[in-house]
Amino acid sequence: MSSTTSTIAKTRSELFRTRLGSALRTTLACSIVGITALYSPEHVKDYIKFPSISYVTTILIVSDATLGETVKGCWHVLCATIQVMIFSLLSLQVIRPGHFSDCMAALAVAVGTFVVALPVSTNLLTKRIAFGQLVIIYVSTVIHGAEEGVATHSIHVACSTALGAIASVLAMLLPYPRVAYYEAKKFYQLYTENTSERLNCNIETISASDNSTAVGFRTRAKYLSATGAKLLHCVTTTLDGMYWERPQTIISNSRIDLEEKLQDLDIPIRGMDIALSSGMSFPVGVIDEELRGVVLNSRQKISQKLDQQAKCFVPFDATTDQEMKLGIFNKYLSIACKDLPTSFFLYCVQLLLDDVSISKKTDHALKKAQKSGDCQWCFNKIRELLMNLIPSNKGLIFALKSSLSLGLAVLLGLMYDRNNAYWSGLTIAISYVTGRQPTFSVANARGQGTAFGSIYGIICSFIFQKCVGIVDLRFLALIPWVIFASFLRHSKMYGQSGAISAVLGALLILGRKNYSTPPEFGIARMAEATIGLACLIVVEIILSPSRAATLAKSELYQTLRTLQDCIKQIAMITPSEKEIPSSSYQTLREEQKKLKSLVRRLEEFTAEAELEPSFWFLPFNNACYNNMLKSLSRMVDLLLFVAYSMEHVTQLAQKDGVIWMDIQGRGNENVKIFRDRVDPILKSLEEITRMKSIKKIESDLKSQNVPHDLESQEYLNADALRILSRDEEVDSITNSFLQHLEEIADKTHTNKDEETLKVQMLFHYSCLGFCTSSLMREIVKIESEISELCMWENPSSETNFK
């Protein structure tokens, strides 16, 4: 108990220290910008005319960054500055600054934004910085007119942006460098320790002597799983900075391999979780003292291996010693035909012992070898970059949204208050994302953040002016606010958007000079920010009128359709297909990858739909969608195990014709039973999620002579009766596999090699049996949730959706 608490506590304290360090470095970077803008010599100040873009650059680069990520950010700043300089100089040379009107400036901002946003290969940070630079250049041109030269504003914006980038690098180097390699190593060590604790809890659960003990360990494992997901995210997000710190490692596959291996470690643990949540009763009857000792010894070996690899930061490349491959096979023969969940649990333990990757294709090594040549790798990357220059539909929509909203914001901002028109465009310039986002929630967070930061700046200015009497010291009030806002970015209420707005709201009041009084400027900036956010929302509604709830339902339909395609690929290989045994499971892997992508998109739409206002629409049923996402995520994992077990059953069957004949007939029959049960359910669910109205369902029920009254218990058409309940259908699939496994286990072989081959066949075939029955169980859960969703959306209907 204490070790588990210690692991979670260490993770929390480490995350707190990391965030505090990031907040202090952000404060240092902002302080460098502020001191330079306020107290530097006049000849330096002459080039730093726009400290606002310096602060924006600093906040966008340095927040939660490492040295490598900061270097990468500076590269993106350079790319943005080059693009904006070229475009602005050309446009101002053609249309002289003295001829720029409000409409002309808005048009120039819109066109420049469209040009910058259109290429898919351009990084989002580059686009955000470029958008802010365009706003400042053209609004300044309108305000000052012919007073300044053609290149003056562009040069001042470039210098101010460079100040923010330089301050970010200095903040990463002082007082000591924050290197991504050590950050990744630190979190990786915590992740392996967390994984070891999760493994320990799962093994203690299956070995528990009573139900209450098992429930206690399962609860602890859930907390550890949530912590492990955070640690895995921390490791993967720091990898990009690590490879920017070591450019020579970019031309290699080490990053891809590391990410794959981190996932491969997590998949067997998730498989254990699925096995333990499949309705086990404790104590598990098939776990005797001998098997319990084998499992506990396996836990010790895996934990030792994880500890060794964590110390040297070489994840999962070490080969497993022969002595680590313990006698699970020896006990597997006696339990495979009795308890599928326990068999699958031991299957996952063996995968961890053998360092097996179940997510890779069999031709992965070939592809990796093809990529090993640096010249070929560079050629492929150059070709990919050139292809990314061709705009896609998604990129075109993003460019159109950005240009229209930013141009409109600048136009209305200039019409409302010319001297403060920067803030209507700058507020939304740094808030764009390439995909969808909960527009109303983000706008609300930005509005509140801007208000809070501005009010804080006004109050601090008043205190330093009236009470302290030294106005120049008001910059010191930024230190606690920047730290507070850095922690605010990790909150659910404000997030990154609200935190950036909050810190900029105070920075633009306390970190600059030569503007109107703080109260007047604060009110004017809040008004301009409201104009910009309103333009963002209006353009988003016009160009993307579909609500997230509607898109979530459409994505659910696509997900169920892809799931059906995955189920179709679950099949035993017939003798005629022995020449190409890999085709079926490789296709299944491809479909599983597609399903995983769709589930992620469905998760994004669900999260967005939960945050968007309902207005006059039906409220979004978040509980149903979250339950379906849990089932779909489990099925994504289960399909990987299915593909892996299919592959090995096929390979083992080809080694011995007698065993192959045993597997072929009953194996195909069991798979056929599973598919016959699942196909009609998925087809009906797919059709229901595609429908916009339930009238077709009601008419179909009438044509089949099936009463749709909830209170009716009579069925005039016997064909409409469900012969088995859903639980009975799941049990029938499980029992079918268990009977076949028992038949295989009862066969005796005089040859030792044949006996070993039989145990290996049982090992993989029982995995296939457990996964198919679990897939059926999860599909039944989805069916129940969609039925509840239909009743939620049609409360006045008397149709019996179940």
Side-chain angles (χ1 to χ4, degrees), residues 66 68-69 72 76 123 180 184 234-246 249-250 255 259:
T66 58
E69 291 167 324
K72 177 186 174 183
H76 292 315
N123 187 272
C234 291
V235 174
T236 53
T237 52
T238 53
L239 290 180
D240 199 28
M242 188 169 72
Y243 294 105
W244 272 85
E245 292 168 1
R246 302 181 177 188
T249 60
I250 295 178
R255 175 183 180 180
E259 292 182 5

Side-chain angles (χ1 to χ4, degrees), residues 192-256:
T192 53
E193 184 179 350
N194 176 271
T195 302
S196 180
E197 299 261 355
R198 288 170 63 193
L199 174 67
N200 178 64
C201 284
N202 285 337
I203 290 180
E204 290 292 346
T205 301
I206 202 169
S207 306
S209 57
D210 57 78
N211 191 62
S212 60
T213 303
V215 170
F217 281 112
R218 285 288 296 133
T219 303
R220 290 163 60 184
K222 288 180 180 178
Y223 290 128
L224 286 167
S225 179
T227 303
K230 294 179 182 178
L231 290 171
L232 183 61
H233 176 73
C234 291
V235 174
T236 53
T237 52
T238 53
L239 290 180
D240 199 28
M242 188 169 72
Y243 294 105
W244 272 85
E245 292 168 1
R246 302 181 177 188
Q248 69 276 11
T249 60
I250 295 178
I251 311 179
S252 68
N253 296 306
S254 55
R255 175 183 180 180
I256 299 172

Side-chain angles (χ1 to χ4, degrees), residues 438 441 492 547-549 552 603-614 619-623 626:
S441 298
K492 291 183 178 180
R547 298 175 63 242
E603 190 174 3
E604 292 173 1
F605 287 138
T606 301
E608 181 182 347
E610 184 181 5
L611 295 173
E612 71 179 359
S614 299
F620 183 71
N621 194 328
N622 189 58
N626 281 334

